[in-house]
Amino acid sequence: MDFRTFSRLTTLVFILCETGGMLLAQDRQDEATPANNAARRLNEDGLIPVDGAIASVQKRLSTAPESASLQRLLGQLYMRRAKEQGDHLAYQKAEQTFRKVLKNYPKDSKASTYLATALQAQHQFKEALKIASDVAKESPKNTLAQATIGDCQLELGRYDAAEESFATLAKMTNGPSVQARLARLAELKGDTEQATELLTEALRDVQDAGGLGSLESWFEWRLGSIAFDTGRLKRASRHFRNAIAIDSSNAQAVVGLAKVQAAQGQHGEAIAAYFGAIEDFGEPPMMAALGDVYRRLGDEEEAMHWYEQAEEAMAEEAVHAAAAHYREVAMFYADRDLKPQRALELAKKDFALRQDVYGHDMLAWTLYRNGKFEEAAKSIEQALRLGTRDAKMFFHAGMIYNALGQSKRAQKAFETAIEINPHFSLLHSETAKEELAKLAPH
């Protein structure tokens, strides 16, 4: 999986998509005034654009500035704006809003819980974990706090603790949000079949409940992502197309389908899809991916043009969201062998925030790009410790072991990468096959 969910964030979109419903469900217990109920419906149902909903709540706050429930709702709306518009500054506004509530009402557990989710979205996982853990001690039935605890532990690489937290959550509640978290843990541990089963069950539950477009589309995208990562291109294409049919604004699904087309050699279709995605969503990873297609076609000039566009767009995002994009930018540079020192610097900054297997992988890959092969080997072994079935990770391992002259380990790593997904990267799949041919000529 590439970049921001593209770099396993998802995680960011995952967190927002999955905890959003829990936020709203919990907040229904707030003061039930007609104005509050009307504003809450704007957030739940999306009947008007989020900016209009924010304006509505702010207007209400002008006559009731001390209302904790309205302040909490405003913070939730900022979170929604961040998710829908990619407005990273909105996460900071949400954080500030929840902190304002807590300044006036230090014991407000809902505000504390929401603050933890806002910090989590900004990759401040340690502080988010502490706040959510404190809430859970005082309110053991707070499902959102419990979910946030597990999410943060996952990002920090504390997998045993995360598994326990999700098991506790599963005893407290059930449904798609829990299944999605269990699926992600299963995927990280290398059990992609169980992950697929859990996500399929969750999707069915959403559909049986009458469906919620964005959530149903999200589960289709997740299923497509796992299918792609395990080399099942036709299945991946089907899921991505389903996701887009349900919600055409699902940028991840649009990009996922373009990746499938590129992997199938349908370069013209992939280029058209990426151009459309860039026009509609303008995300840096889309620009970088378009550059990869051109590089694959041998058009280095056009590839570099789009890499420069991606770099400029990432620089703009970094103004308000540097921490959330350290890994994305480091991966951008390292995958294309651009600015290796800068890539390593960013990978180290990201690693200081979260020490999951992908943090170790990114650190290993950037160390390799800087010729620090022995250090890279130590990091890649940590990245592989869970048994995660990620072809790119094994490719990185193969390149590192090869550089150290460890031919047998390199051969095994390349074989595993190709076995998992022979189309794992436009840039590196052929390299893996070429290196393997040198190590194990037929």
Side-chain angles (χ1 to χ4, degrees):
M1 196 177 291
D2 56 4
F3 295 117
R4 66 191 71 194
T5 55
F6 291 164
S7 67
R8 298 283 178 176
L9 223 32
T10 61
T11 58
L12 180 58
V13 174
F14 167 79
I15 290 164
L16 291 174
C17 178
E18 290 309 305
T19 59
M22 299 173 78
L23 279 165
L24 295 171
Q26 193 166 352
D27 204 42
R28 290 191 186 100
Q29 302 170 20
D30 286 352
E31 180 185 358
T33 66
N36 286 0
N37 287 338
R40 191 173 298 117
R41 283 195 297 273
L42 295 176
N43 191 29
E44 286 189 48
D45 303 328
L47 295 177
I48 66 173
V50 66
D51 292 339
I54 288 173
S56 176
V57 176
Q58 288 175 329
K59 182 177 180 180
R60 174 60 179 162
L61 276 167
S62 67
T63 60
E66 301 302 318
S67 171
S69 61
L70 283 173
Q71 287 285 356
R72 286 195 299 267
L73 181 56
L74 179 62
Q76 289 176 263
L77 286 165
Y78 281 132
M79 294 286 282
R80 179 181 146 196
R81 173 193 276 175
K83 179 172 75 78
E84 292 181 358
Q85 301 179 7
D87 180 0
H88 302 286
L89 182 60
Y91 289 125
Q92 297 175 25
K93 291 181 178 180
E95 176 190 345
Q96 294 164 3
T97 302
F98 297 137
R99 289 191 189 279
K100 182 177 179 180
V101 176
L102 290 168
K103 183 177 180 180
N104 295 324
Y105 306 97
K107 300 296 185 180
D108 191 320
S109 63
K110 291 192 181 83
S112 293
T113 306
Y114 302 164
L115 174 60
T117 65
L119 290 168
Q120 180 187 11
Q122 297 174 81
H123 290 201
Q124 302 301 323
F125 299 113
K126 292 180 181 178
E127 185 180 1
L129 176 59
K130 182 182 184 305
I131 292 172
S133 297
D134 289 343
V135 171
K137 289 177 183 177
E138 296 295 325
S139 306
K141 295 182 180 181
N142 187 319
T143 55
L144 178 55
Q146 186 63 37
T148 304
I149 290 169
D151 290 341
C152 289
Q153 289 167 333
L154 213 59
E155 297 299 331
L156 292 168
R158 304 174 189 177
Y159 295 110
D160 290 342
E163 188 167 9
E164 291 181 10
S165 295
F166 290 150
T168 300
L169 179 65
K171 293 177 182 177
M172 298 166 63
T173 186
N174 54 32
S177 67
V178 178
Q179 292 162 314
R181 288 175 166 86
L182 294 175
R184 184 160 178 255
L185 184 60
E187 185 182 11
L188 285 166
K189 294 170 71 174
D191 195 341
T192 55
E193 293 302 319
Q194 183 187 12
T196 298
E197 290 175 8
L198 286 164
L199 290 169
T200 300
E201 182 181 350
L203 175 60
R204 190 179 302 117
D205 288 346
V206 172
Q207 292 169 336
D208 290 345
L212 176 61
S214 59
L215 190 57
E216 189 176 350
S217 179
W218 186 87
F219 278 109
E220 288 281 8
W221 164 74
R222 279 289 285 128
L223 286 164
S225 297
I226 292 179
F228 181 88
D229 290 344
T230 51
R232 302 168 185 178
L233 299 187
K234 290 184 178 179
R235 181 183 297 185
S237 178
R238 183 176 69 251
H239 283 300
F240 290 141
R241 290 182 188 279
N242 288 345
I244 295 167
I246 295 165
D247 180 7
S248 61
S249 69
N250 188 334
Q252 295 163 300
V254 173
V255 169
L257 182 58
K259 282 176 58 180
V260 171
Q261 292 169 329
Q264 292 174 327
Q266 300 171 8
H267 299 122
E269 291 86 342
I271 288 172
Y274 280 127
F275 268 113
I278 292 167
E279 183 177 352
D280 290 341
F281 308 107
E283 295 283 0
M286 301 167 181
M287 302 172 192
L290 177 56
D292 293 344
V293 179
Y294 281 116
R295 175 168 279 188
R296 185 76 179 84
L297 292 171
D299 190 340
E300 191 66 18
E301 182 178 353
E302 194 67 15
M304 291 306 301
H305 165 74
W306 284 106
Y307 292 160
E308 290 169 3
Q309 293 294 308
E311 186 176 21
E312 290 177 10
M314 286 188 287
E316 291 178 8
E317 288 187 344
V319 173
H320 298 299
H325 291 293
Y326 288 150
R327 186 175 299 181
E328 174 183 293
V329 183
M331 186 182 298
F332 166 76
Y333 287 138
D335 274 352
R336 295 156 187 85
D337 204 11
L338 304 168
K339 300 185 179 180
Q341 293 182 340
R342 179 59 175 161
L344 179 56
E345 177 187 335
L346 292 169
K348 287 181 176 179
K349 287 184 176 182
D350 178 76
F351 192 76
L353 296 175
R354 48 177 173 167
Q355 300 79 42
D356 62 336
V357 293
Y358 285 95
H360 284 285
D361 176 54
M362 190 70 266
L363 187 59
W365 190 224
T366 53
L367 285 165
Y368 167 82
R369 288 301 198 191
N370 283 271
K372 301 178 183 294
F373 304 132
E374 292 184 1
E375 291 180 61
K378 293 177 182 178
S379 291
I380 202 65
E381 286 165 13
Q382 286 297 307
L384 295 170
R385 72 185 187 273
L386 286 184
T388 308
R389 300 283 290 174
D390 187 291
K392 285 185 69 175
M393 196 180 286
F394 280 97
F395 168 71
H396 296 162
M399 296 297 285
I400 292 166
Y401 294 145
N402 212 17
L404 289 170
Q406 299 177 12
S407 300
K408 290 185 178 179
R409 297 184 77 185
Q411 178 181 335
K412 180 62 176 176
F414 288 134
E415 287 174 343
T416 303
I418 295 168
E419 175 193 343
I420 293 170
N421 183 7
H423 312 286
F424 67 88
S425 168
L426 274 185
L427 298 181
H428 303 306
S429 294
E430 292 304 313
T431 301
K433 295 170 186 175
E434 291 167 2
E435 293 299 325
L436 179 59
K438 295 175 186 176
L439 293 167
H442 295 292

